[in-house]
Amino acid sequence: DAKTTQPPSMDCAEGRAANLPCNHSTISGNEYVYWYRQIHSQGPQYIIHGLKNNETNEMASLIITEDRKSSTLILPHATLRDTAVYYCIVRRDGYQLTFGKGTKLSVIP
Amino acid sequence: DAGVIQSPRHEVTEMGQEVTLRCKLISGHNSLFWYRQTMMRGLELLIYFNNNVPIDDSGMPEDRFSAKMPNASFSTLKIQPSEPRDSAVYFCASSAGGGQQPQHFGDGTRLSIL
């Protein structure tokens, strides 16, 4: 699976949009981009995934660049409960999820 | 909807004792994953089941670890005998089949071996 690069930490003001970037320059054509988050003392929580089109669900939006070498997870109106470590994972068909170090997002009141 | 349910949430025991961790899958899911998380090694996949059959157990540390699925909705991870280096948070996850179906995690069992 392709390697991903994320900033180690980010801050976001409460109520503002949180934009979390991820670089995956070695991604292959059949690899999907997944986002999970882990709130302290809880299990990883699935957020969203996509292949090449932008995706939106009730939690977030995923924007994937046309060359698919990077993506951005957008939380449209961050709340204090969105403070967590966010993981960007690139995965081809199969079951392996390889979690890196992720981005620690702190939502500031 | 009920998510993945793990028990116990916390377990403290002395080395040498047998430890059994339990996991109930989300209804309708047929794939089951056991992970272990430590500060040093992050989140590691231990074993993967599909339709109650172990598909990949290459992440299981050693013979002291064993996992079973006695039925389609339940799994156990057993450590016997336990050692202090087994201390970690153990997560169970399930998904509705293979391919690109996302895995949904339980809240884990925090295991401390004294």
Side-chain angles (χ1 to χ4, degrees), chain A residues 30 32 34 36 38 41-44 46 49 87 91-97 99, chain B residues 9 33 35 37 43 45 48 55-56 91 99-107 110:
Chain A
N30 61 349
Y32 284 69
Y34 283 75
Y36 280 77
Q38 189 169 20
S41 297
Q42 296 182 20
Y46 166 76
H49 75 284
Y87 298 96
R91 171 191 170 196
R92 60 170 65 95
D93 280 349
Y95 53 88
Q96 278 286 358
L97 278 180
F99 288 79
Chain B
R9 288 297 313 276
F33 310 82
Y35 289 84
Q37 187 172 38
L43 204 61
L45 177 66
Y48 157 55
I55 303 299
D56 181 358
F91 291 105
Q100 297 305 327
Q101 293 297 321
Q103 296 175 23
H104 297 273
F105 287 74
D107 279 337
R110 183 173 296 274

Side-chain angles (χ1 to χ4, degrees), chain A residues 39-88:
Chain A
I39 297 168
H40 184 61
S41 297
Q42 296 182 20
Q45 179 187 23
Y46 166 76
I47 302 173
I48 199 167
H49 75 284
L51 181 63
K52 51 185 174 182
N53 296 324
N54 297 338
E55 302 287 345
T56 295
N57 63 21
E58 66 279 3
M59 288 183 68
S61 295
L62 173 60
I63 308 297
I64 302 174
T65 58
E66 194 168 338
D67 63 8
R68 303 207 325 121
K69 293 185 177 182
S70 65
S71 60
T72 301
L73 178 75
I74 301 172
L75 308 178
H77 305 287
T79 71
L80 298 179
R81 287 179 295 182
D82 292 321
T83 292
V85 179
Y86 287 76
Y87 298 96
C88 170

Side-chain angles (χ1 to χ4, degrees), chain B residues 44-100:
Chain B
E44 304 173 280
L45 177 66
L46 300 178
I47 188 168
Y48 157 55
F49 289 85
N50 185 246
N51 292 324
N52 302 6
V53 176
I55 303 299
D56 181 358
D57 65 355
S58 60
M60 294 286 264
E62 47 198 271
D63 291 345
R64 297 184 297 107
F65 285 67
S66 62
K68 294 182 179 178
M69 284 197 73
N71 58 58
S73 61
F74 183 73
S75 177
T76 59
L77 177 68
K78 191 169 292 189
I79 308 172
Q80 167 63 22
S82 58
E83 297 183 2
R85 60 191 168 123
D86 302 330
S87 298
V89 183
Y90 290 80
F91 291 105
C92 169
S94 71
S95 71
Q100 297 305 327

